[in-house]
Amino acid sequence: MSLFGDGLEAAVQKAFTRPAPKSAGAQMRYLVKQLKGTKAVAQMLRISQRTVERYVKDQIKKPRPELAARLEREVKKRWQPQIRAKARQKAATTGGIVIDTQARMGYTAPIGSTDEDRVRHLTVALPPHFAARLFDAQEAGASDAQLQQIVADGLKEVYFQDGGRRAGSLEEVRFTDVQHLEFDL
């Protein structure tokens, strides 16, 4: 489970214009269509091809909780790819991305400043180039730690340094113990 990756994914999914299929049968039929066959779906979900076929025919209606979660995740990952791409493109070029977080934050700065870590609740609009960095890193399969570092860099520039108007000597922002994180486009 990836806190930052899932958060970015949830923000993009808010742009969907139609709801994703809800029933297990409809979800399975959608995946079979997308992956062009029951065998590929069975391998991806780690179930038998026969089980996939039975869901497609509505012979099985209620999947086990962990299969239901996997099924929903895989459908949402593929749902409305053009809408998803447009939302990412808009955030990366014009809109930017809003981060709402509650986490422990502090920074490395010259001696004499109040660099002590403390829990802060921030809602900050990051400029488009940070949205682009986040989405590019996510596409490249970046780890949660790498995504967290990009967010920390964004908070350093936008919140702590106010776009270069203050705290110019700030070296590094520590962003740890994330208790809440939500992205919005």
Side-chain angles (χ1 to χ4, degrees):
M1 196 70 160
S2 154
L3 182 65
F4 287 81
D6 290 348
L8 283 172
E9 203 49 49
V12 170
Q13 288 175 9
K14 288 178 189 171
F16 288 168
T17 55
R18 291 188 338 262
K22 293 273 186 265
S23 76
Q27 289 175 333
M28 206 62 87
R29 285 187 287 278
Y30 175 77
L31 287 176
V32 167
K33 188 175 173 188
Q34 290 297 304
L35 299 177
K36 297 173 177 39
T38 55
K39 187 174 185 177
V41 175
Q43 289 172 340
M44 179 188 64
L45 294 173
R46 298 184 306 278
I47 56 178
S48 74
Q49 188 173 352
R50 181 72 190 115
T51 302
V52 172
E53 291 163 0
R54 290 173 65 202
Y55 275 108
V56 167
K57 292 177 183 171
D58 281 329
Q59 292 172 343
I60 312 176
K61 296 200 189 289
K62 190 105 176 81
R64 297 181 314 278
E66 51 93 12
L67 175 59
R70 258 195 335 255
L71 192 55
E72 185 173 350
R73 192 170 50 248
E74 293 300 331
V75 166
K76 283 193 171 171
K77 208 190 303 182
R78 290 166 177 75
W79 189 246
Q80 293 191 326
Q82 288 91 354
I83 303 276
R84 177 188 306 274
K86 267 189 207 155
R88 286 173 172 232
Q89 182 64 32
K90 183 178 174 222
T93 54
T94 55
I97 193 165
V98 175
I99 176 173
D100 181 70
T101 186
Q102 184 165 348
R104 181 168 295 284
M105 285 176 241
Y107 45 87
T108 307
I111 295 169
S113 64
T114 58
D115 64 345
E116 213 169 291
D117 289 7
R118 66 178 186 263
V119 174
R120 303 172 197 241
H121 181 241
L122 301 177
T123 302
V124 178
L126 299 180
H129 66 272
F130 280 106
R133 276 181 62 194
L134 279 167
F135 288 130
D136 290 347
Q138 186 186 30
E139 293 272 312
S143 69
D144 232 30
Q146 291 165 313
L147 295 173
Q148 185 171 348
Q149 186 56 52
I150 294 170
V151 171
D153 292 346
L155 291 174
K156 172 185 167 188
E157 185 180 301
V158 176
Y159 178 76
F160 290 103
Q161 293 182 321
D162 195 15
R165 287 191 281 284
R166 63 184 163 137
S169 58
L170 200 62
E171 293 155 26
E172 176 199 9
V173 170
R174 286 185 301 279
F175 181 55
T176 57
D177 301 337
V178 179
Q179 296 161 10
H180 166 78
L181 177 77
E182 194 175 322
F183 293 100
D184 211 349
L185 303 180

